Amino acid sequence: ERARRLVDKGIIEEYWIVNPREYAIALKEEKGEPYVRDEIVRTAGSFIGVPYLWGGDSADEGFDCSGFTMAVYQYNGLMLPHFSRDQSEMGVYVSKGNLEKGDLVFFNTNNSGKVSHVGVYIGSGRFIHAPGRGKKIGIESLESKYYSKHYAGGRSLM
């Protein structure tokens, strides 16, 4: 029903009901880790243009940053909590120079010294995220003046 509403709103063109054995993470052993990482990036990219909504966790209503990453990972069979700070404690630390597609990237955007923003790394120094009120999910560079200044680390769940 939820997917049908997204089609009706023109947010997505089609949808599939996925058996848990068909999640990307369930196919990791068969297809390899690069497959899972590519699927995470593909899923993240499918939400480009969806509006930001504080506390949001769905494409039909909108996403906040951690709701977006939570949904992207969930669609691929990986569960994340719905808070960027909690997500920053999942998986294993990855240095900026060793980030791989599908890793989570974190930022301290409110100068609190704590993680307050998250996105999905897509390779070539770029990430997809839900940037904030009045904006839509899009791609940014880790090397932009703003995001390089506020970068707080990367994590891998693979």
PDB file of all heavy atoms in Angstrom, residues 65 83-89 105-118 146 149-153:
ATOM      1  N   CYS A  65      18.339  13.218   7.875  1.00  0.00           N
ATOM      2  CA  CYS A  65      19.576  12.556   7.455  1.00  0.00           C
ATOM      3  C   CYS A  65      19.654  11.112   7.936  1.00  0.00           C
ATOM      4  O   CYS A  65      19.969  10.202   7.162  1.00  0.00           O
ATOM      5  CB  CYS A  65      20.799  13.349   7.893  1.00  0.00           C
ATOM      6  SG  CYS A  65      21.056  13.468   9.689  1.00  0.00           S
ATOM      7  N   PHE A  83      19.084   7.642  14.622  1.00  0.00           N
ATOM      8  CA  PHE A  83      19.773   8.827  15.124  1.00  0.00           C
ATOM      9  C   PHE A  83      21.209   8.772  14.629  1.00  0.00           C
ATOM     10  O   PHE A  83      21.874   7.748  14.773  1.00  0.00           O
ATOM     11  CB  PHE A  83      19.746   8.911  16.652  1.00  0.00           C
ATOM     12  CG  PHE A  83      18.361   9.089  17.201  1.00  0.00           C
ATOM     13  CD1 PHE A  83      17.684   8.019  17.762  1.00  0.00           C
ATOM     14  CD2 PHE A  83      17.716  10.314  17.120  1.00  0.00           C
ATOM     15  CE1 PHE A  83      16.395   8.169  18.249  1.00  0.00           C
ATOM     16  CE2 PHE A  83      16.434  10.483  17.606  1.00  0.00           C
ATOM     17  CZ  PHE A  83      15.768   9.401  18.166  1.00  0.00           C
ATOM     18  N   SER A  84      21.687   9.864  14.047  1.00  0.00           N
ATOM     19  CA  SER A  84      23.038   9.870  13.486  1.00  0.00           C
ATOM     20  C   SER A  84      24.094   9.525  14.531  1.00  0.00           C
ATOM     21  O   SER A  84      25.043   8.799  14.236  1.00  0.00           O
ATOM     22  CB  SER A  84      23.350  11.221  12.832  1.00  0.00           C
ATOM     23  OG  SER A  84      23.210  12.279  13.746  1.00  0.00           O
ATOM     24  N   ARG A  85      23.930  10.010  15.746  1.00  0.00           N
ATOM     25  CA  ARG A  85      24.917   9.730  16.794  1.00  0.00           C
ATOM     26  C   ARG A  85      24.958   8.238  17.106  1.00  0.00           C
ATOM     27  O   ARG A  85      26.027   7.657  17.261  1.00  0.00           O
ATOM     28  CB  ARG A  85      24.602  10.536  18.057  1.00  0.00           C
ATOM     29  CG  ARG A  85      25.751  10.559  19.032  1.00  0.00           C
ATOM     30  CD  ARG A  85      25.562  11.594  20.124  1.00  0.00           C
ATOM     31  NE  ARG A  85      25.398  12.920  19.546  1.00  0.00           N
ATOM     32  CZ  ARG A  85      24.589  13.847  20.031  1.00  0.00           C
ATOM     33  NH1 ARG A  85      23.890  13.640  21.115  1.00  0.00           N
ATOM     34  NH2 ARG A  85      24.495  15.031  19.449  1.00  0.00           N
ATOM     35  N   ASP A  86      23.784   7.601  17.155  1.00  0.00           N
ATOM     36  CA  ASP A  86      23.742   6.151  17.394  1.00  0.00           C
ATOM     37  C   ASP A  86      24.323   5.387  16.202  1.00  0.00           C
ATOM     38  O   ASP A  86      25.040   4.395  16.382  1.00  0.00           O
ATOM     39  CB  ASP A  86      22.313   5.685  17.658  1.00  0.00           C
ATOM     40  CG  ASP A  86      21.745   6.220  18.965  1.00  0.00           C
ATOM     41  OD1 ASP A  86      22.542   6.598  19.860  1.00  0.00           O
ATOM     42  OD2 ASP A  86      20.510   6.261  19.088  1.00  0.00           O
ATOM     43  N   GLN A  87      24.039   5.850  14.996  1.00  0.00           N
ATOM     44  CA  GLN A  87      24.591   5.200  13.810  1.00  0.00           C
ATOM     45  C   GLN A  87      26.110   5.290  13.794  1.00  0.00           C
ATOM     46  O   GLN A  87      26.788   4.391  13.308  1.00  0.00           O
ATOM     47  CB  GLN A  87      24.005   5.811  12.540  1.00  0.00           C
ATOM     48  CG  GLN A  87      22.542   5.485  12.336  1.00  0.00           C
ATOM     49  CD  GLN A  87      21.959   6.127  11.089  1.00  0.00           C
ATOM     50  OE1 GLN A  87      22.674   6.685  10.254  1.00  0.00           O
ATOM     51  NE2 GLN A  87      20.639   6.056  10.953  1.00  0.00           N
ATOM     52  N   SER A  88      26.652   6.368  14.360  1.00  0.00           N
ATOM     53  CA  SER A  88      28.105   6.566  14.360  1.00  0.00           C
ATOM     54  C   SER A  88      28.823   5.578  15.275  1.00  0.00           C
ATOM     55  O   SER A  88      30.052   5.499  15.259  1.00  0.00           O
ATOM     56  CB  SER A  88      28.465   8.002  14.758  1.00  0.00           C
ATOM     57  OG  SER A  88      28.263   8.220  16.138  1.00  0.00           O
ATOM     58  N   GLU A  89      28.079   4.808  16.027  1.00  0.00           N
ATOM     59  CA  GLU A  89      28.665   3.792  16.907  1.00  0.00           C
ATOM     60  C   GLU A  89      28.514   2.385  16.330  1.00  0.00           C
ATOM     61  O   GLU A  89      28.952   1.412  16.935  1.00  0.00           O
ATOM     62  CB  GLU A  89      28.017   3.877  18.288  1.00  0.00           C
ATOM     63  CG  GLU A  89      28.284   5.202  18.962  1.00  0.00           C
ATOM     64  CD  GLU A  89      27.505   5.403  20.248  1.00  0.00           C
ATOM     65  OE1 GLU A  89      26.750   4.485  20.648  1.00  0.00           O
ATOM     66  OE2 GLU A  89      27.661   6.476  20.845  1.00  0.00           O
ATOM     67  N   VAL A 105      29.166   8.230   6.385  1.00  0.00           N
ATOM     68  CA  VAL A 105      30.053   9.351   6.718  1.00  0.00           C
ATOM     69  C   VAL A 105      29.308  10.281   7.672  1.00  0.00           C
ATOM     70  O   VAL A 105      28.114  10.532   7.508  1.00  0.00           O
ATOM     71  CB  VAL A 105      30.543  10.098   5.463  1.00  0.00           C
ATOM     72  CG1 VAL A 105      31.562   9.259   4.708  1.00  0.00           C
ATOM     73  CG2 VAL A 105      29.400  10.486   4.534  1.00  0.00           C
ATOM     74  N   PHE A 106      30.035  10.775   8.668  1.00  0.00           N
ATOM     75  CA  PHE A 106      29.429  11.541   9.752  1.00  0.00           C
ATOM     76  C   PHE A 106      30.040  12.938   9.860  1.00  0.00           C
ATOM     77  O   PHE A 106      31.201  13.142   9.524  1.00  0.00           O
ATOM     78  CB  PHE A 106      29.606  10.798  11.078  1.00  0.00           C
ATOM     79  CG  PHE A 106      28.925   9.466  11.078  1.00  0.00           C
ATOM     80  CD1 PHE A 106      29.613   8.322  10.732  1.00  0.00           C
ATOM     81  CD2 PHE A 106      27.574   9.364  11.387  1.00  0.00           C
ATOM     82  CE1 PHE A 106      28.976   7.090  10.703  1.00  0.00           C
ATOM     83  CE2 PHE A 106      26.932   8.149  11.366  1.00  0.00           C
ATOM     84  CZ  PHE A 106      27.637   6.999  11.017  1.00  0.00           C
ATOM     85  N   PHE A 107      29.217  13.845  10.379  1.00  0.00           N
ATOM     86  CA  PHE A 107      29.610  15.248  10.483  1.00  0.00           C
ATOM     87  C   PHE A 107      29.135  15.834  11.801  1.00  0.00           C
ATOM     88  O   PHE A 107      28.116  15.415  12.346  1.00  0.00           O
ATOM     89  CB  PHE A 107      28.998  16.049   9.317  1.00  0.00           C
ATOM     90  CG  PHE A 107      29.340  15.466   7.984  1.00  0.00           C
ATOM     91  CD1 PHE A 107      28.540  14.493   7.406  1.00  0.00           C
ATOM     92  CD2 PHE A 107      30.482  15.870   7.311  1.00  0.00           C
ATOM     93  CE1 PHE A 107      28.862  13.926   6.181  1.00  0.00           C
ATOM     94  CE2 PHE A 107      30.816  15.315   6.082  1.00  0.00           C
ATOM     95  CZ  PHE A 107      30.006  14.331   5.523  1.00  0.00           C
ATOM     96  N   ASN A 108      29.896  16.814  12.284  1.00  0.00           N
ATOM     97  CA  ASN A 108      29.501  17.613  13.430  1.00  0.00           C
ATOM     98  C   ASN A 108      29.097  18.974  12.868  1.00  0.00           C
ATOM     99  O   ASN A 108      29.922  19.854  12.712  1.00  0.00           O
ATOM    100  CB  ASN A 108      30.666  17.733  14.417  1.00  0.00           C
ATOM    101  CG  ASN A 108      30.420  18.760  15.489  1.00  0.00           C
ATOM    102  OD1 ASN A 108      29.294  19.206  15.696  1.00  0.00           O
ATOM    103  ND2 ASN A 108      31.478  19.161  16.162  1.00  0.00           N
ATOM    104  N   THR A 109      27.815  19.103  12.541  1.00  0.00           N
ATOM    105  CA  THR A 109      27.346  20.319  11.865  1.00  0.00           C
ATOM    106  C   THR A 109      26.862  21.401  12.822  1.00  0.00           C
ATOM    107  O   THR A 109      26.592  22.516  12.396  1.00  0.00           O
ATOM    108  CB  THR A 109      26.212  19.984  10.885  1.00  0.00           C
ATOM    109  OG1 THR A 109      25.159  19.338  11.598  1.00  0.00           O
ATOM    110  CG2 THR A 109      26.715  19.082   9.774  1.00  0.00           C
ATOM    111  N   ASN A 110      26.739  21.075  14.103  1.00  0.00           N
ATOM    112  CA  ASN A 110      26.237  22.077  15.044  1.00  0.00           C
ATOM    113  C   ASN A 110      27.310  22.529  16.034  1.00  0.00           C
ATOM    114  O   ASN A 110      26.996  23.156  17.037  1.00  0.00           O
ATOM    115  CB  ASN A 110      24.991  21.560  15.780  1.00  0.00           C
ATOM    116  CG  ASN A 110      25.263  20.294  16.557  1.00  0.00           C
ATOM    117  OD1 ASN A 110      26.412  19.892  16.744  1.00  0.00           O
ATOM    118  ND2 ASN A 110      24.205  19.642  17.022  1.00  0.00           N
ATOM    119  N   ASN A 111      28.569  22.207  15.735  1.00  0.00           N
ATOM    120  CA  ASN A 111      29.713  22.623  16.552  1.00  0.00           C
ATOM    121  C   ASN A 111      29.612  22.195  18.009  1.00  0.00           C
ATOM    122  O   ASN A 111      30.133  22.858  18.889  1.00  0.00           O
ATOM    123  CB  ASN A 111      29.930  24.142  16.448  1.00  0.00           C
ATOM    124  CG  ASN A 111      30.263  24.560  15.034  1.00  0.00           C
ATOM    125  OD1 ASN A 111      31.061  23.912  14.363  1.00  0.00           O
ATOM    126  ND2 ASN A 111      29.617  25.611  14.561  1.00  0.00           N
ATOM    127  N   SER A 112      28.942  21.059  18.252  1.00  0.00           N
ATOM    128  CA  SER A 112      28.800  20.540  19.608  1.00  0.00           C
ATOM    129  C   SER A 112      29.935  19.597  19.981  1.00  0.00           C
ATOM    130  O   SER A 112      30.060  19.201  21.128  1.00  0.00           O
ATOM    131  CB  SER A 112      27.473  19.782  19.738  1.00  0.00           C
ATOM    132  OG  SER A 112      27.514  18.599  18.943  1.00  0.00           O
ATOM    133  N   GLY A 113      30.734  19.214  18.980  1.00  0.00           N
ATOM    134  CA  GLY A 113      31.768  18.217  19.214  1.00  0.00           C
ATOM    135  C   GLY A 113      31.221  16.795  19.100  1.00  0.00           C
ATOM    136  O   GLY A 113      31.946  15.837  19.298  1.00  0.00           O
ATOM    137  N   LYS A 114      29.926  16.678  18.781  1.00  0.00           N
ATOM    138  CA  LYS A 114      29.288  15.371  18.649  1.00  0.00           C
ATOM    139  C   LYS A 114      28.697  15.233  17.249  1.00  0.00           C
ATOM    140  O   LYS A 114      28.357  16.219  16.601  1.00  0.00           O
ATOM    141  CB  LYS A 114      28.174  15.214  19.690  1.00  0.00           C
ATOM    142  CG  LYS A 114      28.681  15.264  21.111  1.00  0.00           C
ATOM    143  CD  LYS A 114      27.549  15.158  22.096  1.00  0.00           C
ATOM    144  CE  LYS A 114      28.092  15.254  23.516  1.00  0.00           C
ATOM    145  NZ  LYS A 114      27.026  15.257  24.491  1.00  0.00           N
ATOM    146  N   VAL A 115      28.555  13.989  16.815  1.00  0.00           N
ATOM    147  CA  VAL A 115      27.961  13.721  15.507  1.00  0.00           C
ATOM    148  C   VAL A 115      26.530  14.254  15.472  1.00  0.00           C
ATOM    149  O   VAL A 115      25.751  14.035  16.391  1.00  0.00           O
ATOM    150  CB  VAL A 115      27.977  12.206  15.209  1.00  0.00           C
ATOM    151  CG1 VAL A 115      27.084  11.867  14.032  1.00  0.00           C
ATOM    152  CG2 VAL A 115      29.403  11.731  14.970  1.00  0.00           C
ATOM    153  N   SER A 116      26.203  14.953  14.384  1.00  0.00           N
ATOM    154  CA  SER A 116      24.854  15.503  14.235  1.00  0.00           C
ATOM    155  C   SER A 116      24.310  15.337  12.812  1.00  0.00           C
ATOM    156  O   SER A 116      23.201  15.773  12.524  1.00  0.00           O
ATOM    157  CB  SER A 116      24.851  16.992  14.606  1.00  0.00           C
ATOM    158  OG  SER A 116      25.820  17.689  13.836  1.00  0.00           O
ATOM    159  N   HIS A 117      25.090  14.694  11.930  1.00  0.00           N
ATOM    160  CA  HIS A 117      24.653  14.534  10.538  1.00  0.00           C
ATOM    161  C   HIS A 117      25.321  13.302   9.951  1.00  0.00           C
ATOM    162  O   HIS A 117      26.439  12.945  10.334  1.00  0.00           O
ATOM    163  CB  HIS A 117      25.016  15.774   9.725  1.00  0.00           C
ATOM    164  CG  HIS A 117      24.426  15.790   8.359  1.00  0.00           C
ATOM    165  ND1 HIS A 117      23.064  15.871   8.139  1.00  0.00           N
ATOM    166  CD2 HIS A 117      25.001  15.712   7.130  1.00  0.00           C
ATOM    167  CE1 HIS A 117      22.837  15.859   6.837  1.00  0.00           C
ATOM    168  NE2 HIS A 117      23.997  15.758   6.208  1.00  0.00           N
ATOM    169  N   VAL A 118      24.623  12.648   8.989  1.00  0.00           N
ATOM    170  CA  VAL A 118      25.138  11.418   8.380  1.00  0.00           C
ATOM    171  C   VAL A 118      24.733  11.352   6.911  1.00  0.00           C
ATOM    172  O   VAL A 118      23.698  11.894   6.522  1.00  0.00           O
ATOM    173  CB  VAL A 118      24.630  10.170   9.149  1.00  0.00           C
ATOM    174  CG1 VAL A 118      23.109  10.076   9.128  1.00  0.00           C
ATOM    175  CG2 VAL A 118      25.264   8.883   8.633  1.00  0.00           C
ATOM    176  N   TYR A 146      32.534  23.425   3.502  1.00  0.00           N
ATOM    177  CA  TYR A 146      31.684  23.166   4.664  1.00  0.00           C
ATOM    178  C   TYR A 146      31.864  21.748   5.198  1.00  0.00           C
ATOM    179  O   TYR A 146      32.113  21.547   6.388  1.00  0.00           O
ATOM    180  CB  TYR A 146      30.216  23.418   4.313  1.00  0.00           C
ATOM    181  CG  TYR A 146      29.294  23.176   5.485  1.00  0.00           C
ATOM    182  CD1 TYR A 146      29.092  24.175   6.435  1.00  0.00           C
ATOM    183  CD2 TYR A 146      28.655  21.964   5.658  1.00  0.00           C
ATOM    184  CE1 TYR A 146      28.270  23.960   7.530  1.00  0.00           C
ATOM    185  CE2 TYR A 146      27.831  21.738   6.749  1.00  0.00           C
ATOM    186  CZ  TYR A 146      27.638  22.738   7.679  1.00  0.00           C
ATOM    187  OH  TYR A 146      26.825  22.508   8.756  1.00  0.00           O
ATOM    188  N   LYS A 149      35.285  20.750   6.720  1.00  0.00           N
ATOM    189  CA  LYS A 149      35.475  21.371   8.035  1.00  0.00           C
ATOM    190  C   LYS A 149      34.721  20.614   9.133  1.00  0.00           C
ATOM    191  O   LYS A 149      35.180  20.520  10.261  1.00  0.00           O
ATOM    192  CB  LYS A 149      34.993  22.825   7.991  1.00  0.00           C
ATOM    193  CG  LYS A 149      35.084  23.551   9.305  1.00  0.00           C
ATOM    194  CD  LYS A 149      34.569  24.976   9.193  1.00  0.00           C
ATOM    195  CE  LYS A 149      34.587  25.664  10.533  1.00  0.00           C
ATOM    196  NZ  LYS A 149      34.001  27.002  10.472  1.00  0.00           N
ATOM    197  N   HIS A 150      33.558  20.054   8.799  1.00  0.00           N
ATOM    198  CA  HIS A 150      32.696  19.416   9.800  1.00  0.00           C
ATOM    199  C   HIS A 150      32.760  17.886   9.801  1.00  0.00           C
ATOM    200  O   HIS A 150      32.022  17.242  10.546  1.00  0.00           O
ATOM    201  CB  HIS A 150      31.244  19.880   9.591  1.00  0.00           C
ATOM    202  CG  HIS A 150      31.074  21.335   9.838  1.00  0.00           C
ATOM    203  ND1 HIS A 150      30.987  21.883  11.103  1.00  0.00           N
ATOM    204  CD2 HIS A 150      30.976  22.383   8.978  1.00  0.00           C
ATOM    205  CE1 HIS A 150      30.847  23.189  11.018  1.00  0.00           C
ATOM    206  NE2 HIS A 150      30.850  23.520   9.741  1.00  0.00           N
ATOM    207  N   TYR A 151      33.660  17.320   8.996  1.00  0.00           N
ATOM    208  CA  TYR A 151      33.763  15.871   8.911  1.00  0.00           C
ATOM    209  C   TYR A 151      34.122  15.271  10.271  1.00  0.00           C
ATOM    210  O   TYR A 151      34.993  15.755  10.966  1.00  0.00           O
ATOM    211  CB  TYR A 151      34.822  15.490   7.864  1.00  0.00           C
ATOM    212  CG  TYR A 151      34.911  14.010   7.625  1.00  0.00           C
ATOM    213  CD1 TYR A 151      33.940  13.344   6.885  1.00  0.00           C
ATOM    214  CD2 TYR A 151      35.977  13.268   8.133  1.00  0.00           C
ATOM    215  CE1 TYR A 151      34.016  11.984   6.655  1.00  0.00           C
ATOM    216  CE2 TYR A 151      36.054  11.906   7.910  1.00  0.00           C
ATOM    217  CZ  TYR A 151      35.068  11.269   7.185  1.00  0.00           C
ATOM    218  OH  TYR A 151      35.143   9.919   6.968  1.00  0.00           O
ATOM    219  N   ALA A 152      33.408  14.191  10.647  1.00  0.00           N
ATOM    220  CA  ALA A 152      33.622  13.581  11.959  1.00  0.00           C
ATOM    221  C   ALA A 152      33.944  12.094  11.890  1.00  0.00           C
ATOM    222  O   ALA A 152      34.057  11.444  12.918  1.00  0.00           O
ATOM    223  CB  ALA A 152      32.379  13.795  12.841  1.00  0.00           C
ATOM    224  N   GLY A 153      34.078  11.518  10.690  1.00  0.00           N
ATOM    225  CA  GLY A 153      34.502  10.119  10.580  1.00  0.00           C
ATOM    226  C   GLY A 153      33.622   9.282   9.686  1.00  0.00           C
ATOM    227  O   GLY A 153      32.563   9.716   9.226  1.00  0.00           O
TER     228      GLY A 153
END
